[in-house]
PDB file of all heavy atoms in Angstrom:
ATOM      1  N   ARG B   4     -54.478   9.483 -28.780  1.00 58.00           N
ATOM      2  CA  ARG B   4     -54.769   9.829 -30.169  1.00 58.00           C
ATOM      3  C   ARG B   4     -55.599  11.113 -30.211  1.00 58.00           C
ATOM      4  O   ARG B   4     -55.363  11.997 -31.019  1.00 58.00           O
ATOM      5  CB  ARG B   4     -55.533   8.680 -30.832  1.00 58.00           C
ATOM      6  CG  ARG B   4     -56.134   9.062 -32.188  1.00 58.00           C
ATOM      7  CD  ARG B   4     -56.138   7.875 -33.086  1.00 58.00           C
ATOM      8  NE  ARG B   4     -54.892   7.125 -32.906  1.00 58.00           N
ATOM      9  CZ  ARG B   4     -54.239   6.529 -33.910  1.00 58.00           C
ATOM     10  NH1 ARG B   4     -54.709   6.598 -35.130  1.00 58.00           N
ATOM     11  NH2 ARG B   4     -53.129   5.866 -33.682  1.00 58.00           N
ATOM     12  N   TYR B   9     -55.987  16.871 -31.184  1.00 53.00           N
ATOM     13  CA  TYR B   9     -56.422  18.128 -30.583  1.00 53.00           C
ATOM     14  C   TYR B   9     -55.303  19.162 -30.639  1.00 53.00           C
ATOM     15  O   TYR B   9     -55.495  20.304 -31.033  1.00 53.00           O
ATOM     16  CB  TYR B   9     -56.815  17.885 -29.135  1.00 53.00           C
ATOM     17  CG  TYR B   9     -57.402  19.106 -28.497  1.00 53.00           C
ATOM     18  CD1 TYR B   9     -58.780  19.289 -28.485  1.00 53.00           C
ATOM     19  CD2 TYR B   9     -56.589  20.068 -27.927  1.00 53.00           C
ATOM     20  CE1 TYR B   9     -59.335  20.413 -27.918  1.00 53.00           C
ATOM     21  CE2 TYR B   9     -57.134  21.202 -27.356  1.00 53.00           C
ATOM     22  CZ  TYR B   9     -58.508  21.371 -27.359  1.00 53.00           C
ATOM     23  OH  TYR B   9     -59.044  22.478 -26.803  1.00 53.00           O
ATOM     24  N   LEU B  17     -53.982  29.388 -27.339  1.00 77.00           N
ATOM     25  CA  LEU B  17     -54.428  30.642 -26.748  1.00 77.00           C
ATOM     26  C   LEU B  17     -53.958  30.799 -25.312  1.00 77.00           C
ATOM     27  O   LEU B  17     -53.694  31.891 -24.855  1.00 77.00           O
ATOM     28  CB  LEU B  17     -55.957  30.700 -26.766  1.00 77.00           C
ATOM     29  CG  LEU B  17     -56.587  30.964 -28.125  1.00 77.00           C
ATOM     30  CD1 LEU B  17     -58.091  30.850 -28.032  1.00 77.00           C
ATOM     31  CD2 LEU B  17     -56.175  32.355 -28.604  1.00 77.00           C
ATOM     32  N   ASN B  33     -52.306  26.200   0.977  1.00 95.00           N
ATOM     33  CA  ASN B  33     -51.410  25.322   1.732  1.00 95.00           C
ATOM     34  C   ASN B  33     -49.996  25.316   1.152  1.00 95.00           C
ATOM     35  O   ASN B  33     -49.405  24.259   0.953  1.00 95.00           O
ATOM     36  CB  ASN B  33     -51.937  23.888   1.753  1.00 95.00           C
ATOM     37  CG  ASN B  33     -53.355  23.810   2.268  1.00 95.00           C
ATOM     38  OD1 ASN B  33     -53.706  24.527   3.210  1.00 95.00           O
ATOM     39  ND2 ASN B  33     -54.175  22.982   1.673  1.00 95.00           N
ATOM     40  N   PRO B  42     -35.000  24.506  11.705  1.00 92.00           N
ATOM     41  CA  PRO B  42     -33.871  23.567  11.724  1.00 92.00           C
ATOM     42  C   PRO B  42     -33.841  22.761  10.430  1.00 92.00           C
ATOM     43  O   PRO B  42     -34.897  22.367   9.912  1.00 92.00           O
ATOM     44  CB  PRO B  42     -34.182  22.648  12.907  1.00 92.00           C
ATOM     45  CG  PRO B  42     -35.211  23.366  13.716  1.00 92.00           C
ATOM     46  CD  PRO B  42     -35.975  24.228  12.759  1.00 92.00           C
ATOM     47  N   ALA B  57     -38.986  21.759  -3.121  1.00 95.00           N
ATOM     48  CA  ALA B  57     -38.311  22.975  -2.672  1.00 95.00           C
ATOM     49  C   ALA B  57     -39.166  23.737  -1.662  1.00 95.00           C
ATOM     50  O   ALA B  57     -40.400  23.675  -1.716  1.00 95.00           O
ATOM     51  CB  ALA B  57     -37.997  23.881  -3.856  1.00 95.00           C
ATOM     52  N   ILE B  77     -28.622  17.336  -0.749  1.00 84.00           N
ATOM     53  CA  ILE B  77     -27.650  16.337  -1.193  1.00 84.00           C
ATOM     54  C   ILE B  77     -26.275  16.991  -1.339  1.00 84.00           C
ATOM     55  O   ILE B  77     -25.252  16.413  -0.984  1.00 84.00           O
ATOM     56  CB  ILE B  77     -28.101  15.702  -2.529  1.00 84.00           C
ATOM     57  CG1 ILE B  77     -29.523  15.118  -2.388  1.00 84.00           C
ATOM     58  CG2 ILE B  77     -27.132  14.628  -2.985  1.00 84.00           C
ATOM     59  CD1 ILE B  77     -29.680  14.061  -1.314  1.00 84.00           C
ATOM     60  N   TYR B  85     -22.180  16.854   6.512  1.00 55.00           N
ATOM     61  CA  TYR B  85     -23.310  15.968   6.652  1.00 55.00           C
ATOM     62  C   TYR B  85     -23.840  15.875   8.079  1.00 55.00           C
ATOM     63  O   TYR B  85     -25.033  15.866   8.319  1.00 55.00           O
ATOM     64  CB  TYR B  85     -22.984  14.557   6.159  1.00 55.00           C
ATOM     65  CG  TYR B  85     -24.163  13.666   6.330  1.00 55.00           C
ATOM     66  CD1 TYR B  85     -25.180  13.675   5.391  1.00 55.00           C
ATOM     67  CD2 TYR B  85     -24.319  12.884   7.462  1.00 55.00           C
ATOM     68  CE1 TYR B  85     -26.307  12.916   5.560  1.00 55.00           C
ATOM     69  CE2 TYR B  85     -25.457  12.120   7.645  1.00 55.00           C
ATOM     70  CZ  TYR B  85     -26.445  12.139   6.689  1.00 55.00           C
ATOM     71  OH  TYR B  85     -27.577  11.400   6.866  1.00 55.00           O
ATOM     72  N   GLN B  98     -23.943  28.850   3.885  1.00 81.00           N
ATOM     73  CA  GLN B  98     -22.860  27.964   3.432  1.00 81.00           C
ATOM     74  C   GLN B  98     -22.936  27.761   1.924  1.00 81.00           C
ATOM     75  O   GLN B  98     -21.925  27.753   1.240  1.00 81.00           O
ATOM     76  CB  GLN B  98     -22.954  26.603   4.122  1.00 81.00           C
ATOM     77  CG  GLN B  98     -22.549  26.649   5.591  1.00 81.00           C
ATOM     78  CD  GLN B  98     -22.521  25.255   6.199  1.00 81.00           C
ATOM     79  OE1 GLN B  98     -22.325  24.272   5.498  1.00 81.00           O
ATOM     80  NE2 GLN B  98     -22.714  25.167   7.504  1.00 81.00           N
ATOM     81  N   ALA B 109     -36.096  33.137  -8.243  1.00 96.00           N
ATOM     82  CA  ALA B 109     -36.859  33.385  -9.468  1.00 96.00           C
ATOM     83  C   ALA B 109     -38.341  33.462  -9.113  1.00 96.00           C
ATOM     84  O   ALA B 109     -38.893  32.533  -8.528  1.00 96.00           O
ATOM     85  CB  ALA B 109     -36.599  32.279 -10.486  1.00 96.00           C
ATOM     86  N   VAL B 117     -48.745  32.581 -19.121  1.00 92.00           N
ATOM     87  CA  VAL B 117     -48.094  31.270 -19.176  1.00 92.00           C
ATOM     88  C   VAL B 117     -46.796  31.377 -19.983  1.00 92.00           C
ATOM     89  O   VAL B 117     -45.759  30.831 -19.591  1.00 92.00           O
ATOM     90  CB  VAL B 117     -49.032  30.229 -19.811  1.00 92.00           C
ATOM     91  CG1 VAL B 117     -48.312  28.897 -20.003  1.00 92.00           C
ATOM     92  CG2 VAL B 117     -50.274  30.037 -18.950  1.00 92.00           C
ATOM     93  N   HIS B 130     -36.749  24.837 -11.535  1.00 92.00           N
ATOM     94  CA  HIS B 130     -37.874  23.911 -11.635  1.00 92.00           C
ATOM     95  C   HIS B 130     -39.192  24.535 -11.215  1.00 92.00           C
ATOM     96  O   HIS B 130     -40.251  23.944 -11.424  1.00 92.00           O
ATOM     97  CB  HIS B 130     -37.598  22.651 -10.814  1.00 92.00           C
ATOM     98  CG  HIS B 130     -36.705  21.699 -11.549  1.00 92.00           C
ATOM     99  ND1 HIS B 130     -35.377  21.988 -11.773  1.00 92.00           N
ATOM    100  CD2 HIS B 130     -36.959  20.521 -12.157  1.00 92.00           C
ATOM    101  CE1 HIS B 130     -34.861  20.990 -12.479  1.00 92.00           C
ATOM    102  NE2 HIS B 130     -35.783  20.102 -12.718  1.00 92.00           N
ATOM    103  N   ILE B 159     -58.235  17.471 -22.365  1.00 64.00           N
ATOM    104  CA  ILE B 159     -59.157  16.460 -21.843  1.00 64.00           C
ATOM    105  C   ILE B 159     -60.267  17.135 -21.042  1.00 64.00           C
ATOM    106  O   ILE B 159     -61.454  16.854 -21.219  1.00 64.00           O
ATOM    107  CB  ILE B 159     -58.395  15.442 -20.971  1.00 64.00           C
ATOM    108  CG1 ILE B 159     -57.352  14.727 -21.837  1.00 64.00           C
ATOM    109  CG2 ILE B 159     -59.342  14.457 -20.312  1.00 64.00           C
ATOM    110  CD1 ILE B 159     -56.396  13.857 -21.046  1.00 64.00           C
TER     111      ILE B 159
END
Side-chain angles (χ1 to χ4, degrees):
Chain B
R4 168 147 320 218
Y9 186 94
L17 286 174
N33 306 321
I77 305 301
Y85 179 82
Q98 287 186 26
V117 174
H130 280 69
I159 298 171

